[in-house]
Amino acid sequence: MGLSVLVEQIQNVELKKLLSTVIIALLVSGYLVVYLLSHTPRLPFKEELEFQTIDGESVVKENLPSVSEQGDDDILLSVVVPSYNETKRILIMLRDAISYLQVRMPRRWEIVIVDDGSKDGTSDYCLKLSREVFRLEKGQLRVVKFTKNRGKGGAVRQGLLHIRGRYGLFADADGASKFSDVDRLLTSIEKLEGSKLQAAVAIGSRAHMVNTDAVVERSFIRNLLMYGLHTLVFVFGVRSINDTQCGFKLFNRQAINAIFPYLHTEGWIFDVEILMLALRKRIPIAEVPISWHEVDGSKMDLARDSINMAKDLVVIRMAYILHIYKDDKEC
Ligand SMILES: Nc1nc2c(ncn2[C@@H]2O[C@H](COP(=O)(O)OP(=O)(O)OP(=O)(O)O)[C@@H](O)[C@H]2O)c(=O)[nH]1
Ligand SMILES: [Mg+2]
């Protein structure tokens, strides 16, 4: 008698365990589905987008050039700068970039600032700099402005989809990378393109600096989170790239067309999805060592953004495995 009660209790315990596992699995997958659905990006509506040239002249969205059309042969390089409240940092970056561009490829470049809903007047500040400090010609610096903040991935996507040049570089506004290193990226991408001009990507890399002062000087907690994220990227993201996060990446028009219309992620981990898409589409990627230095005023909230990046990374991988995200369906 006692034995049968014991067996019944064990079965009850097993049943309870099974039930709670099923409930947890249902809750997690329900959350995942809701999250994925709300995670699907869209391009900004016309009223969310303001587009200005150096004259401060406002133009509607239809007037933005599209990277899917024939580019402007006169422009070799378009530089996209995702910017969020950057009035304190962007001058140094722009000075470094413009002084290089004016010497290395006179009149064959453009800069596209994507102001991601800044509250500090970043757009007007950049337009003023281009007029009064750099004395640029009309159209050499354009500002695309979102009324609401979307995230760095959303801003880079928007900028690169509307460039006129043959190559599109996105570069952080903090000037942490040395702009002239774009020479190395251009040399590498030209090699990958070959004579058929196939899609190709060249990305700046700080992997060679892992044990140098620039990294060692960062706080313990920051380095710990960075290594944790690297491990997660290795497990869920991409294995063949050492530094996925560097804000200095170059694409040719073919690669932009093959990658950016399919990019889902608007947050910080978008770099990993870009590389995942490039690898899935067998687009060659060159990882090129560049100079880099720490710049104050980071917009990252260490704890919150690290958790979101980890979550987004798992979501992206799961979404591709479950065919919720597709690399042949534009978002
Ligand atoms: N579009 C957009 N860009 C952002 C946002 N936050 C930061 N950025 C831009 O992303 C670039 C890099 O930002 P940082 O704050 O330097 O972050 P990080 O370089 O990834 O990280 P650190 O290593 O801490 O400097 C800059 O050009 C920022 O203006 C945002 O919410 N939206
Ligand atoms: Mg930075």
Side-chain angles (χ1 to χ4, degrees), residues 278-324:
L279 291 167
R280 289 171 79 91
K281 296 184 176 217
R282 299 187 191 284
I283 298 173
I285 304 171
E287 193 173 355
V288 184
I290 60 162
S291 311
W292 180 86
H293 66 284
E294 182 86 44
V295 176
D296 287 345
S298 170
K299 304 280 180 306
M300 281 192 79
D301 176 322
L302 265 194
R304 189 197 60 204
D305 290 332
S306 304
I307 292 171
N308 281 338
M309 283 168 88
K311 190 171 76 175
D312 284 354
L313 192 56
V314 177
V315 163
I316 296 167
R317 176 53 78 200
M318 293 301 294
Y320 277 111
I321 290 176
L322 299 173
H323 294 281
I324 298 172

Side-chain angles (χ1 to χ4, degrees), residues 16-159:
K16 271 188 198 155
K17 264 193 198 160
L18 186 70
L19 264 179
S20 42
T21 313
V22 169
I23 289 171
I24 290 173
L26 279 176
L27 284 176
V28 170
S29 40
Y31 171 76
L32 197 66
V33 169
V34 171
Y35 185 78
L36 284 172
L37 292 177
S38 63
H39 204 244
T40 304
R42 58 168 178 80
L43 286 176
F45 297 129
K46 204 158 71 184
E47 54 277 16
E48 293 174 324
L49 196 65
E50 202 181 305
F51 166 45
Q52 295 178 295
T53 64
I54 183 171
D55 299 340
E57 161 196 356
S58 285
V59 188
V60 287
K61 185 182 161 196
E62 281 81 16
N63 292 52
L64 286 171
S66 168
V67 76
S68 60
E69 289 157 16
Q70 176 75 31
D72 182 337
D73 287 341
D74 290 339
I75 299 183
L76 181 68
L77 182 65
S78 299
V79 181
V80 170
V81 190
S83 305
Y84 182 58
N85 294 338
E86 286 294 359
T87 50
K88 297 217 165 55
R89 304 197 297 178
I90 203 166
L91 171 61
I92 292 173
M93 183 272 165
L94 287 178
R95 182 167 280 141
D96 187 27
I98 291 170
S99 54
Y100 163 88
L101 293 164
Q102 280 176 332
V103 172
R104 175 72 166 70
M105 49 185 87
R107 296 177 181 216
R108 299 204 61 204
W109 54 272
E110 64 170 352
I111 292 179
V112 182
I113 309 276
V114 188
D115 177 352
D116 193 14
S118 300
K119 304 263 189 298
D120 70 343
T122 293
S123 301
D124 291 339
Y125 177 70
C126 291
L127 288 166
K128 191 164 175 236
L129 287 180
S130 70
R131 263 193 314 265
E132 295 174 12
V133 175
F134 301 116
R135 301 185 184 285
L136 301 182
E137 289 168 22
K138 186 172 182 236
Q140 278 188 314
L141 185 141
R142 295 184 285 143
V143 171
V144 175
K145 188 175 172 188
F146 296 157
T147 47
K148 263 205 219 139
N149 180 260
R150 297 177 68 98
K152 185 177 172 189
V156 168
R157 178 174 191 258
Q158 177 70 19

